[in-house]
Amino acid sequence: MTNLLLPPLSERIPDTSDLSEPVLDALEELVKANLACADSLREAGSATPAIPLGTHLEGMARRREGAARELKTYLTENGSPGPTGGPSLLFTLGLLWDHLKLAIQGGKPLAVIRHVSAAGHELDEAYREVLSKTTGCPLNALFMAHLRQLRADARTLRQLEGLLAPMDE
């Protein structure tokens, strides 16, 4: 699936060979958060018997992994070995709470969409936090492009939720 919201990578790479330590830390957090979100999307997709929904969630997971790979290139360019460990405790607790709710609700498509929406909200928050700490960073345009993609996925999920809500009652 082609990503229509992001221009080709070759057109987006700013000179980032000398990023500050706070920006590198933020990149590491975003890589970890994107990967955790991708895992969450895959788990949610496998929890539902609705094949079209599972396929859509797999596409979202691939976009999150693509964002993580892209962010890792900037870490590598700056000599960082890449992220170690998992995402922040707050992000992880949010995902765990969502997983628990999903398990209780038994994989109903509407419950899956709500679970995925909550995970997307957690990632949205992570990007907004990074943007608040990286004023003037050459990567802020990239962060905004990732945020636009994330929000486009959220709009699609809201549309699906609107379609499924009457059937779930």
Side-chain angles (χ1 to χ4, degrees):
M1 173 184 242
T2 306
N3 189 336
L4 301 176
L5 297 175
L6 297 175
L9 182 61
S10 60
E11 295 175 18
R12 289 184 281 157
I13 299 178
D15 178 20
T16 57
S17 57
D18 191 26
L19 295 176
S20 67
E21 197 64 35
V23 172
L24 292 172
D25 292 343
L27 277 172
E28 287 186 10
E29 271 304 306
L30 286 178
V31 167
K32 293 186 282 188
N34 272 288
L35 292 174
C37 192
D39 289 344
S40 182
L41 287 162
R42 283 212 170 82
E43 181 177 326
S46 67
T48 180
I51 302 298
L53 179 56
T55 302
H56 181 71
L57 296 178
E58 177 61 32
M60 290 173 64
R62 282 194 308 272
R63 286 190 288 281
R64 298 283 48 90
E65 288 171 339
R69 270 192 311 276
E70 187 172 27
L71 294 170
K72 279 183 184 179
T73 62
Y74 299 107
L75 289 169
T76 303
E77 184 178 301
N78 281 271
S80 172
T84 56
S88 70
L89 179 60
L90 187 57
F91 188 85
T92 303
L93 287 175
L95 288 180
L96 288 174
W97 174 247
D98 294 333
H99 286 307
L100 176 62
K101 288 189 293 187
L102 180 63
I104 291 169
Q105 294 168 343
K108 292 181 182 175
L110 192 56
V112 169
I113 288 173
R114 289 180 178 150
H115 161 75
V116 169
S117 294
H121 179 73
E122 296 290 330
L123 187 55
D124 187 289
E125 290 285 326
Y127 270 99
R128 286 192 287 146
E129 183 178 332
V130 165
L131 283 165
S132 73
K133 295 177 181 177
T134 58
T135 305
C137 173
L139 291 176
N140 280 355
L142 176 65
F143 298 155
M144 288 302 297
H146 285 186
L147 203 48
R148 281 191 301 276
Q149 179 66 60
L150 188 61
R151 290 176 178 170
D153 285 342
R155 281 190 299 278
T156 301
L157 287 172
R158 281 193 300 276
Q159 291 169 346
L160 288 171
E161 183 177 11
L163 293 171
L164 291 173
M167 292 186 279
D168 197 53
E169 294 173 349

